[in-house]
Amino acid sequence: MRTYAKPVAAVTGALVLAATLTACGGSSDAADEKVVTVYSADGLKGEKGDGWYDKVFADFEKETGIKVKYVEGGSGEMVQRALREKSNTQADLLVTLPPFIQQAGSKGLLQSYEPKGSDQVDGADKSDDGTWTSVVNNYFGFVHDKKELPQAPKTWEELLDAKYKDKLQYSTPGVAGDGTAVLIKAMHDFGGKEPAMEYLKKLQANNVGPSSSTSKLAPKVDKGELLVANGDVQMNFAQAKSMPNLGIWFPAKDGGKPTTFALPYAAGLVDKAPHTENGRKLLDFMLSEGAQREVSAIGGGFPARKDVKTTDANAIALAELMEGVEVFEPDWADIDKNLAAYVDAWKSATGS
């Protein structure tokens, strides 16, 4: 375990956009050759067209003439969609949070490709077999309503208070990446699956209910419909630009320190992609120095490349936010292997 100390980069993009697909899997005619289709977890697309994806996709199209078609949802949802389409592939790039990018790899959804610049990505943030690499780094977190709840809770245990009944919500584990992160952090903080499930069973008395997408929760917190919800630093920092009541915090177990873990946006080239070469070009572009520098200035989060250093106002603000927060590294191999069992345990504990 380590305490976060070094400056980090930042954010301004978020929220939801859905697109319809016209490309036919496995083949492309002349009209489709200048397209690339991205299936992605939510968080990097700007609500007002001002996110990192918005800028990167526009620059990529201007430079290459290749139009980006974009489909967004929860991490698990995107993997399941790609899995259903495996015999008629429609996506070229898949971008999800862990452990779903590992899941996509183990299900044979990704082909090996090491994009330019991936040699500057830390080994923990990319696969050994070249099937995926992080394009934007990020950390798990929670949000609170600064207007109705000026002082953020400090511990998990505080959330069991009756004042949070029907004022607390977290996205669904096994469906949303940030929802799955709730399980991962709880198991770490409480010292294992059983004590974590015991806690989450108690917390269910205050929980509003399931949500397939984490990004939908922040607006409810900003409006005061919720006091607390889960999220991630990149997305919530971005949303706070237009949602002034959002405050980011990290729960600790009673008597312990606040903790978090890296939750990067990781991208992989889809196996039998209809536009494989275009997918390679876009992945290269995402990891280019120029695009990585804009992660901070425009708002995608934390640069994935260790040789890209950012010192802008957002980076400074996030360094302050992360000060004193312990960053642990989950056992992703264990989580990939046992995710279904952990989600089933959560369903049993919470009656979900």
Side-chain angles (χ1 to χ4, degrees), residues 75-95:
S75 288
E77 180 186 358
M78 291 295 93
V79 172
Q80 288 303 311
R81 179 166 179 166
L83 193 61
R84 289 194 303 269
E85 297 170 351
K86 198 171 181 180
S87 62
N88 183 31
T89 309
Q90 299 194 38
D92 299 302
L93 278 185
L94 180 65
V95 186

Side-chain angles (χ1 to χ4, degrees), residues 29-291:
D29 57 33
D32 287 331
E33 288 178 358
K34 286 292 188 179
V35 298
V36 60
T37 298
V38 178
Y39 283 10
S40 179
D42 49 1
L44 294 175
K45 196 88 169 67
E47 184 182 24
K48 299 179 180 179
D50 56 357
W52 186 70
Y53 269 167
D54 300 284
K55 181 65 163 62
V56 169
F57 292 169
D59 289 348
F60 177 71
E61 183 176 355
K62 184 177 180 180
E63 182 173 305
T64 65
I66 299 169
K67 181 176 177 60
V68 179
K69 293 187 176 182
Y70 179 72
V71 178
E72 179 178 284
S75 288
E77 180 186 358
M78 291 295 93
V79 172
Q80 288 303 311
R81 179 166 179 166
L83 193 61
R84 289 194 303 269
E85 297 170 351
K86 198 171 181 180
S87 62
N88 183 31
T89 309
Q90 299 194 38
D92 299 302
L93 278 185
L94 180 65
V95 186
T96 77
L97 306 181
F100 295 99
I101 196 67
Q102 290 92 338
Q103 184 183 84
S106 65
K107 291 182 181 297
L109 291 177
L110 306 176
Q111 58 176 293
S112 181
Y113 177 64
E114 297 181 10
K116 297 172 184 176
S118 62
D119 59 319
Q120 293 295 331
V121 176
D122 281 334
D125 296 327
K126 60 186 177 184
S127 65
D128 293 335
D129 61 4
T131 52
W132 60 266
T133 184
S134 298
V135 291
V136 171
N137 281 341
N138 192 18
Y139 294 88
F140 179 58
F142 280 70
V143 287
H144 69 105
D145 181 343
K146 293 194 294 186
K147 183 178 179 182
E148 301 295 331
L149 190 69
Q151 182 64 46
K154 294 186 183 303
T155 68
W156 287 103
E157 287 81 0
E158 287 180 55
L159 299 179
L160 299 177
D161 192 282
K163 75 178 181 180
Y164 293 103
K165 184 172 178 59
D166 296 328
K167 289 288 188 178
L168 174 150
Q169 190 173 16
Y170 60 90
S171 51
T172 308
V175 175
D178 288 325
T180 306
V182 173
L183 288 189
I184 295 170
K185 178 170 157 58
M187 287 191 293
H188 171 270
D189 289 359
F190 287 94
K193 182 179 77 171
E194 296 306 324
M197 298 309 159
E198 287 177 18
Y199 169 79
L200 292 171
K201 181 178 182 178
K202 296 175 185 176
L203 186 66
Q204 193 66 11
N206 289 341
N207 187 19
V208 171
S211 174
S212 63
S213 175
T214 313
S215 65
K216 296 177 181 177
L217 301 182
K220 295 180 181 181
V221 174
D222 183 61
K223 294 173 184 175
E225 295 174 24
L226 297 173
L227 291 177
V228 169
N230 69 315
D232 61 66
V233 174
Q234 176 275 319
M235 180 171 63
N236 296 141
F237 191 89
Q239 290 170 318
K241 299 293 183 180
S242 59
M243 301 178 195
N245 295 324
L246 286 188
I248 300 171
W249 67 288
F250 306 90
K253 187 179 183 300
D254 194 20
K257 291 184 177 181
T259 68
T260 189
F261 62 96
L263 204 59
Y265 292 88
L269 190 66
V270 177
D271 187 44
K272 297 182 178 65
H275 310 101
T276 292
E277 188 55 38
N278 293 348
R280 290 190 182 117
K281 289 178 181 177
L282 179 56
L283 197 44
D284 287 349
F285 195 85
M286 286 176 166
L287 271 183
S288 66
E289 284 193 49

Side-chain angles (χ1 to χ4, degrees), residues 9-33:
V11 258
T12 57
L15 287 192
V16 178
L17 176 70
T20 52
L21 292 178
T22 57
C24 295
S27 64
S28 59
D29 57 33
D32 287 331
E33 288 178 358

